[in-house]
Amino acid sequence: MNRIFLGIVLIAFGAAAWRQFGHVPAAGAKSPMEALSAAMISSAGGAVELAIGLVGVMTLFLGLMKVAEAGGLLVIIAKLIRPLMTRLFPDVPADHPAMGAMILNMSANALGLGNAATPFGIRAMQELDKLNTRPGTATNAMALFLAINTSGVTLLPTGVIAIRAAAGSADPAAILPTTLFATACSTIAAIVAAKLYQRFAPLGPADPAAAAIDRPWVREGGGADAGDASAGSGGGSGGADLAAAGRGYPLWASVLALAGIVALIPATIVWGRVVSPWILPGLMVGFLLFGALRRVAVYEVFVDGAKEGFQVALRIIPYLVAILVAVGMFRASGALDAMVGFLGGFTARFGLPAEALPMALLRPLSGSGAYGVMAAIIQDPATGPDSYVGYLVTTLQGSTETTFYVLAVYFGAVQVRRMRHALAAALTADVVAVIATVAICSWLFG
């Protein structure tokens, strides 16, 4: 990450400096270096605003997750998909709370609830860090989890459907099959890439300086030793309930649950627009009712879990400032426009026209930037949401993730500085997602 961060900043500075030398002053127009300076300041402020904006949703969903955990929902889910998860994550005990947190994160992403997925993902990283023998260094499980997270299968891209509807689309939910296909391909690519790349990225020796990192999520769970012990015993922060998870449910139960998920695919195509407004309220009511039925003091437990939201938001601010300032400089310097101009003629031959290329390039870097490009394209009367380019950019928005943002937030939450192969695996999945999006949109709408 050190090299990537420095490389983006240096490229942006070099591009702006080159343009500055040939700049002709004009009344009311900023020079390239002035635009670069303004982008740095606005991006830094935007990063803090983004972190503050996350406080509320993190507080809400970390509280709900605490209720679910206290009621034993994480144990139930972990037992249900144990056959698959234990094969994907052999280093994580099947009954460890990290399993349940990862599953809830993936479930929220599958429903297009990106903000809801973030608290679950941060909790999963904290639980995975309890098993980490190299503080400050990403484990294989962390890298695989984030690779899947940045490419997770989306059954219901609710936000993009709403955007298409607002832009006047005759069929806002038409991107459901294209999104599902693209994310399925990228998720398979993420898993294969993470498993393959980990062979070339060893953990390396322990860093004495990293060992001194303050890890309150480990200390509050009983310390590093307790966390390691829980890896073998099934204990840890989940307590006796997690220890009771045992060997999990029978294989037929897991297969039946998977079949139910697959059955949701046609349901999302038919009833997606009707169901989407119910998801968030239903999630909250379902978690609280589950806790109440399991005799959990839902209010007290919710408040206890919600307290973590403020601490997490403060912890990730420096990481967000760093990556968002670098991305803002890259855009303001003109380097992104130059890249589009250079690649646009080539990618157009393969179904990715120049007007959609900025979307593909920006999506891993900046969620707001990609959103702006998508909105501008589908609101343009000459293009619209129901053209080939409209379907293409909205599928990209719904099927790919802001990779650098996810890595900055999740690794920042557990103070991991050496991410090993996580970025390479995530970017591989991003490339596959773009290829799959072009392929499926060309077939259906080209």
Side-chain angles (χ1 to χ4, degrees):
M1 195 65 183
N2 293 326
R3 296 175 181 175
I4 294 169
F5 174 69
L6 179 60
I8 293 175
V9 172
L10 290 179
I11 292 172
F13 179 81
W18 177 264
R19 294 174 59 216
Q20 180 75 22
F21 289 129
H23 174 68
V24 178
K30 292 182 179 179
S31 70
M33 294 306 291
E34 288 175 336
L36 190 67
S37 299
M40 292 172 62
I41 301 302
S42 63
S43 297
V48 176
E49 292 174 3
L50 178 60
I52 293 174
L54 284 174
V55 170
V57 71
M58 283 185 178
T59 299
L60 171 62
F61 284 101
L62 284 174
L64 290 176
M65 188 174 180
K66 194 73 172 181
V67 172
E69 180 181 358
L73 180 61
L74 301 187
V75 178
I76 295 173
I77 297 176
K79 289 167 65 178
L80 192 60
I81 70 164
R82 180 179 181 274
L84 175 61
M85 294 297 285
T86 52
R87 286 165 174 78
L88 286 178
F89 297 91
D91 300 332
V92 181
D95 52 357
H96 195 275
M99 282 290 188
M102 287 190 290
I103 295 162
L104 288 176
N105 169 269
M106 296 174 190
S107 300
N109 276 328
L111 296 175
L113 307 175
N115 288 339
T118 300
F120 298 147
I122 289 175
R123 178 60 183 276
M125 291 294 286
Q126 291 175 339
E127 294 296 340
L128 288 173
D129 201 43
K130 294 179 182 179
L131 304 173
N132 191 357
T133 59
R134 301 281 198 281
T137 299
T139 63
N140 290 339
M142 287 179 178
L144 176 59
F145 169 63
L146 288 191
I148 294 175
N149 190 277
T150 59
S151 63
V153 173
T154 302
L155 296 177
L156 190 61
T158 51
V160 183
I161 290 174
I163 294 168
R164 287 179 53 82
S169 172
D171 186 7
I175 62 164
L176 282 171
T178 57
T179 299
L180 181 59
F181 176 81
T183 55
C185 292
S186 65
T187 300
I188 294 172
I191 295 171
V192 173
K195 293 291 186 180
L196 177 63
Y197 297 165
Q198 72 183 34
R199 301 179 181 181
F200 307 100
L203 279 171
D207 183 359
I213 294 175
D214 183 29
R215 301 157 74 198
W217 53 91
V218 174
R219 185 177 63 251
E220 292 168 4
D225 294 337
D228 292 340
S230 70
S233 65
S237 63
D241 288 340
L242 287 178
R247 297 180 57 85
Y249 293 126
L251 179 60
W252 64 265
S254 300
V255 172
L256 187 62
L258 183 61
I261 294 174
V262 173
L264 286 176
I265 297 174
T268 60
I269 296 175
V270 177
W271 297 298
R273 293 184 63 185
V274 177
V275 172
S276 59
W278 293 76
I279 294 175
L280 278 176
L283 191 64
M284 183 167 184
V285 171
F287 273 28
L288 293 180
L289 281 179
F290 176 82
L293 292 174
R294 303 280 288 190
R295 300 189 178 183
V296 173
V298 291
Y299 178 75
E300 288 83 356
V301 173
F302 177 91
V303 171
D304 184 51
K307 293 176 183 177
E308 300 176 18
F310 295 94
Q311 301 168 2
V312 170
L314 291 176
R315 193 179 301 127
I316 66 177
I317 286 178
Y319 298 88
L320 281 179
V321 169
I323 193 64
L324 291 185
V325 166
V327 170
M329 292 176 66
F330 188 72
R331 295 177 59 197
S333 68
L336 179 64
D337 294 335
M339 186 180 298
V340 170
F342 177 74
L343 297 175
F346 175 76
T347 59
R349 304 175 187 175
F350 300 94
L352 183 59
E355 56 263 44
L357 183 57
M359 176 74 190
L361 294 176
L362 271 177
R363 192 65 178 103
L365 295 172
S366 170
S368 59
Y371 176 86
V373 171
M374 179 201 66
I377 290 174
I378 65 175
Q379 290 173 4
D380 184 350
T383 306
D386 295 332
S387 64
Y388 170 73
V389 174
Y391 286 120
L392 189 65
V393 296
T394 49
T395 300
L396 282 172
Q397 179 73 18
S399 62
T400 54
E401 187 54 84
T402 313
T403 299
F404 285 86
Y405 167 81
V406 170
L407 295 181
V409 170
Y410 286 8
F411 278 140
V414 292
Q415 301 185 47
V416 165
R417 302 166 185 173
R418 183 168 173 255
M419 64 179 66
R420 298 173 63 222
H421 57 290
L423 178 60
L427 291 179
T428 299
D430 287 338
V431 172
V432 171
V434 172
I435 295 172
T437 297
V438 171
I440 190 65
C441 288
S442 296
W443 182 49
L444 293 179
F445 309 116

